Amino acid sequence: MATQKKKKTVEAKAPVNEQKTKVEKHEMVSIYSTSYGWWRYFVKPILVEGGVSKFRFVKDPDSYNGKIAVAKTEVDKAKKVLAEYQKKNPDTKTMWA
């Protein structure tokens, strides 16, 4: 007597989110140049505290220097935040140019 195993049938389930979410790509604009060290420890926190939400560091291929890139819609806001920081702290070294 051989026992036969019943094969389980598997039904394909529909995806949970049938609609694909759209990822918005923002056009980035370089506003200032800086080094990676200044970016990581000083410039990035200044932009976060200022309320700028779309920004990044674009590294130069041959060194640790790079550009501060901001979404095209937030260029004025980022420049204003960085200018205010320089006005409040005139004795600090220039971290971007």
Side-chain angles (χ1 to χ4, degrees), residues 2 19 22 25-26 28 30-33 36-37 42 55 63 65 67 70-71 73 75 79 87 94-95:
Q19 297 177 351
K22 292 184 180 181
K25 292 189 176 182
H26 298 281
M28 301 301 272
S30 297
I31 55 173
Y32 296 116
S33 60
Y36 181 71
F42 299 103
F55 58 87
S63 67
N65 296 329
K67 306 274 188 229
V70 181
T73 57
V75 171
K79 285 184 177 182
K87 285 180 185 176
T94 304
M95 294 181 276

Side-chain angles (χ1 to χ4, degrees), residues 3-83:
T3 58
Q4 291 181 338
K5 293 182 178 179
K6 292 184 180 180
K7 293 183 180 180
K8 294 181 180 180
T9 57
V10 178
E11 294 180 21
K13 294 182 179 179
V16 176
N17 293 330
E18 292 181 5
Q19 297 177 351
K20 293 183 179 180
T21 58
K22 292 184 180 181
V23 176
E24 294 182 26
K25 292 189 176 182
H26 298 281
E27 185 177 342
M28 301 301 272
V29 178
S30 297
I31 55 173
Y32 296 116
S33 60
T34 188
S35 70
Y36 181 71
W38 289 118
W39 166 258
R40 183 174 177 189
Y41 296 109
F42 299 103
V43 180
K44 186 176 176 182
I46 292 168
L47 291 173
V48 170
E49 289 175 9
V52 181
S53 60
K54 306 278 190 243
F55 58 87
R56 65 184 183 142
F57 180 77
V58 181
K59 185 182 172 297
D60 291 339
D62 58 342
S63 67
Y64 284 104
N65 296 329
K67 306 274 188 229
I68 300 169
V70 181
K72 192 173 184 178
T73 57
E74 296 194 0
V75 171
D76 295 331
K77 186 176 183 180
K79 285 184 177 182
K80 183 179 177 183
V81 167
L82 294 174

